[in-house]
Amino acid sequence: MDLIAVVQILDSTLRLATPLLFAALAGLISERAGVFDIGLEGKMLAAAFFSAAFAFTTGNVWLGLCAGIIASMFLSLIHGVASITFRGNQLISGVAINFLAAGLTVVIAQNWFRQGGRTPTLVGDARFPRLTLPGAEAVRDVPVLGPFYSVILSGHSILVYVGLLCVPLVWYGLFRTRFGLRLRAVGENPAAVDTAGISVVGMRYGAVMICGVLCGLAGAYLATGLSAGFVKDMTAGRGFIALAAMIFAKWRPWHALGAVLLFGLLEAIANRYQNIDLGFMVLPAQFMQALPYILTVVILAGFVGRAIPPRAGGEPYVKER
Amino acid sequence: MSDRRIPHWADVVLVPLTSVLLAFIISAIVIWAIGEDPWEATKLMVQGAFGSSYGWGYTLYYATNFIFTGLAVAVAFQAKLFNIGGEGQATMGGLGVAMVCLYLPWPHWSMALVAAAFGAALFGAAWAAIPGYLQVRRGSHIVITTIMFNFIAAALLNYLLVNVMRPAGSMDPASARFPPEVRLPRLHEILDVFGIPFSTATPANISFLVAVAACFVVWYMLWRTRLGYQIRAFGQSEPAAQYAGISPFRITMYVMLISGALAGMMAINNVMGEANRLLLNAVEGAGFIGIAVALMGRNHPFGVFLAAVLFGFLYQGGAELALWTTIPRELIVVIQALVILFTGALDNMVRMPIAALFARRRRS
């Protein structure tokens, strides 16, 4: 493995980690407020389709992004109505949302574009262009720092940088603001928050809708940044890898960044090499694909540091009468 | 809260039927919105699924899959456990069936069926037992672990088919064909004995009868045995069950073993009965449809049977629809999602107006 290969792998690591990052932060906010969300996958998928469809029809990727976010927020609203207002099972609601997105995207795509459940390929302004960071050309020939800055960090679509920016934003919002304190309290002890005169329902809806926005960004990046258009089931389990990353990070934003970079790296390596020869044994590509899930099971089982979810997670809040 | 009570018949019949009706109405709107006639589409589906013995054959073939996965989810739901890993457990069940059929010699299909069912149940149960164990002993959430195990099972099967079980010289990732001795009798061969003519082109096979038998066994287990009573007590209230001396560890393990075994046994239908070899992604989402089937069937084996036949109809009807109209097969996924949404997550939304209706009638 030479240096160029390493740089290329790290470059695609950042690219592949971005949708996971948005979705992991989305899940983190929702679950911190006590609403389990296994519907990340479905929301990403819906956002991917609607962003690609609107970007293609209007020729403007920003309109596409808005459409994707609205679609994702609509599914979030369903999740909120089911799990907050009607106190339904949050996990079942998540499953339903995943299937709703998987089915509706193909049905609508077939109806609008008649290309077998995909959108036409996006070109030009219908995709996010690659940005060159200031000074990237100037430092290109500096050893180590040059390739790191001008190849790995520079040259991505704007959403990659938005994603990286979201990490400190979410951290600050959750741990340094009043809203964040209340949000976390709603996930740990909603009765106490209610006693303080703050609406548990309102806080939870807020968290679920923010989750929708972030999932929308994840899906829009997938269809208009990472690839050029929507294809059937294009999320391919990324929503669940993001869920795994969130648990792996034990519901903490900075750790989530670390987790998605690790899982992005695994995906980048698996994309580049079919099998990895370690000398004494060969790791098959399938093992690399399964590794995020295996790691999550291990961390959930508490064999390597224990992951404890927010205490009131998954429990609908019933005000005492 | 006394006003919220509704009669038993309304709880088991009226509420699920209302939910399904809501799901169908929204599906009809979707069909209408994409420019097709919902009424024509329904007629086409009914005709395609029930109008010929060919349609019936496919409907019952799909229903067999869904009975197994639906029972698997239902048994777990009875103990308040959400086993979302039917997909992975059925995948592993397929591996069990393939190993029994490929690596052991069988003189007759009947012996092979018993052994294959056992192998499928064993592999499925093992795949469900690990998340069960991790939940009770290590505190990891069973829903997350079973989801992860679905993906791990898919990767494992992919590896085994590509690198180990693929016959030399073959390009597609699938195992070798099973020997002809283990071919299960199809439904038309069974009905032929009684002189009933039935389409010879459908994959419905004797596994359907095994699935029906499984419904009876699960019903007996849940409502007529000590274990079943303990499972239901545990599902109603864990602290109360524990106070009564029911061990959470024991119940969780038993439930997950039974649930995984049932999901795994689906493989005798799709792997042994239909494909006759192990294919990549042979389960085709049936593990997830089990969730919808169990929710609709109110976690009762008889309800599961009816719901499985309904979903078998939707699958076969949906295939016909895709053949004759511009409506893609994925419409069935939408219907499935709506059924899960209304019968599962929005249960209270459906229940509240019905409860209010009964309360008003009681008062007047």
Side-chain angles (χ1 to χ4, degrees), chain B residues 39-76:
Chain B
W39 181 241
E40 284 299 315
T42 315
K43 274 206 295 201
L44 209 58
M45 284 176 82
V46 172
Q47 179 64 28
F50 298 126
S52 62
S53 71
Y54 174 82
W56 268 104
Y58 269 95
T59 301
L60 292 181
Y61 165 73
Y62 291 124
T64 308
N65 286 341
F66 306 153
I67 291 174
F68 281 120
T69 54
L71 285 176
V73 180
V75 167

Side-chain angles (χ1 to χ4, degrees), chain B residues 187-197 209:
Chain B
L187 208 55
H188 70 89
E189 295 167 64
I190 302 166
L191 289 173
D192 206 35
V193 178
F194 304 102
I196 304 168
L209 302 179

Side-chain angles (χ1 to χ4, degrees), chain B:
Chain B
M1 286 299 279
S2 58
D3 269 9
R4 296 281 170 81
R5 262 188 327 186
I6 56 175
H8 186 64
W9 70 269
D11 187 50
V12 294
V13 179
L14 197 60
V15 173
L17 276 186
T18 314
S19 303
V20 172
L21 197 66
L22 279 171
F24 282 175
I25 289 171
I26 296 185
S27 310
I29 294 173
V30 171
I31 294 175
W32 170 78
I34 61 175
E36 293 275 350
D37 183 352
W39 181 241
E40 284 299 315
T42 315
K43 274 206 295 201
L44 209 58
M45 284 176 82
V46 172
Q47 179 64 28
F50 298 126
S52 62
S53 71
Y54 174 82
W56 268 104
Y58 269 95
T59 301
L60 292 181
Y61 165 73
Y62 291 124
T64 308
N65 286 341
F66 306 153
I67 291 174
F68 281 120
T69 54
L71 285 176
V73 180
V75 167
F77 267 144
Q78 287 286 356
K80 276 265 162 54
L81 294 167
F82 189 8
N83 176 14
I84 200 170
E87 195 77 6
Q89 288 142 21
T91 302
M92 296 307 282
L95 195 59
V97 166
M99 284 168 86
V100 166
C101 290
L102 282 174
Y103 302 132
L104 296 173
W106 296 103
H108 192 258
W109 63 263
S110 56
M111 293 157 81
L113 176 62
V114 174
F118 185 74
L122 192 73
F123 272 61
W127 206 245
I130 306 169
Y133 178 85
L134 291 176
Q135 158 136 328
V136 270
R137 280 289 187 256
R138 312 289 315 184
S140 48
H141 202 298
I142 207 159
V143 171
I144 307 291
T145 334
T146 45
I147 291 175
M148 301 295 144
F149 266 60
N150 284 341
F151 287 103
I152 299 172
L156 182 65
L157 186 72
N158 189 328
Y159 171 76
L160 288 175
L161 285 180
V162 172
N163 299 38
V164 183
M165 297 178 87
R166 185 167 50 128
S170 161
M171 282 310 285
D172 47 326
S175 79
R177 285 204 173 278
F178 300 160
E181 289 81 24
V182 306
R183 211 187 68 86
L184 293 180
R186 297 266 160 110
L187 208 55
H188 70 89
E189 295 167 64
I190 302 166
L191 289 173
D192 206 35
V193 178
F194 304 102
I196 304 168
F198 198 80
S199 168
T200 54
T202 73
N205 59 74
I206 196 163
S207 311
F208 175 68
L209 302 179
V210 181
V212 173
C215 288
F216 281 105
V217 173
V218 168
W219 172 81
Y220 187 84
M221 188 274 294
L222 279 174
W223 275 277
R224 288 292 179 273
T225 66
R226 181 186 293 241
L227 176 68
Y229 178 78
Q230 292 181 338
I231 289 173
R232 287 182 297 124
F234 181 81
Q236 293 293 322
S237 164
E238 194 183 326
Q242 215 169 344
Y243 188 68
I246 297 170
S247 147
F249 177 75
R250 200 172 139 266
I251 293 299
T252 306
M253 289 312 289
Y254 269 125
V255 165
M256 286 310 282
L257 285 169
I258 295 168
S259 177
L262 285 165
M265 275 175 70
M266 185 198 121
I268 59 168
N269 187 42
N270 70 337
V271 176
M272 198 176 176
E274 200 245 334
N276 247 297
R277 56 183 181 149
L278 190 56
L279 296 163
L280 211 57
N281 191 22
V283 185
E284 287 182 319
F288 294 115
I289 294 163
I291 300 169
V293 167
L295 286 169
M296 225 187 106
R298 279 282 183 269
N299 303 328
H300 190 287
F302 184 63
V304 165
F305 175 81
L306 291 180
V309 173
L310 177 77
F311 270 92
F313 149 71
L314 287 176
Y315 255 65
Q316 170 54 16
E320 292 284 318
L321 213 52
L323 207 59
W324 302 110
T325 67
T326 59
I327 304 169
R329 257 196 107 150
E330 278 72 14
L331 180 76
I332 304 310
V333 181
V334 177
I335 300 179
Q336 174 194 340
L338 292 167
V339 168
I340 295 176
L341 190 68
F342 285 113
T343 56
L346 287 171
D347 190 52
N348 281 335
M349 186 185 90
V350 179
R351 193 176 290 269
M352 279 171 188
I354 292 178
L357 213 68
F358 277 105
R360 198 179 312 152
R361 265 188 49 187
R362 248 198 311 273
R363 243 178 276 134
S364 60

Side-chain angles (χ1 to χ4, degrees), chain A residues 31-112:
Chain A
E31 301 213 349
R32 278 281 184 173
V35 181
F36 279 165
D37 195 351
I38 57 174
L40 299 173
E41 174 92 357
K43 281 181 247 185
M44 272 168 83
L45 193 63
F49 169 67
F50 281 98
S51 61
F54 275 78
F56 175 78
T57 344
T58 62
N60 184 335
V61 69
W62 292 99
L63 288 178
L65 177 67
C66 293
I69 290 175
I70 291 169
S72 169
M73 285 177 78
F74 176 72
L75 290 182
S76 268
L77 188 66
I78 295 182
H79 190 53
V81 169
S83 55
I84 305 170
T85 306
F86 287 107
R87 296 182 213 124
N89 187 319
Q90 300 170 0
L91 299 162
I92 294 175
S93 166
V95 171
I97 283 167
N98 286 339
F99 285 120
L100 199 59
L104 271 184
T105 50
V106 178
V107 170
I108 299 175
Q110 177 62 18
N111 186 240
W112 286 358

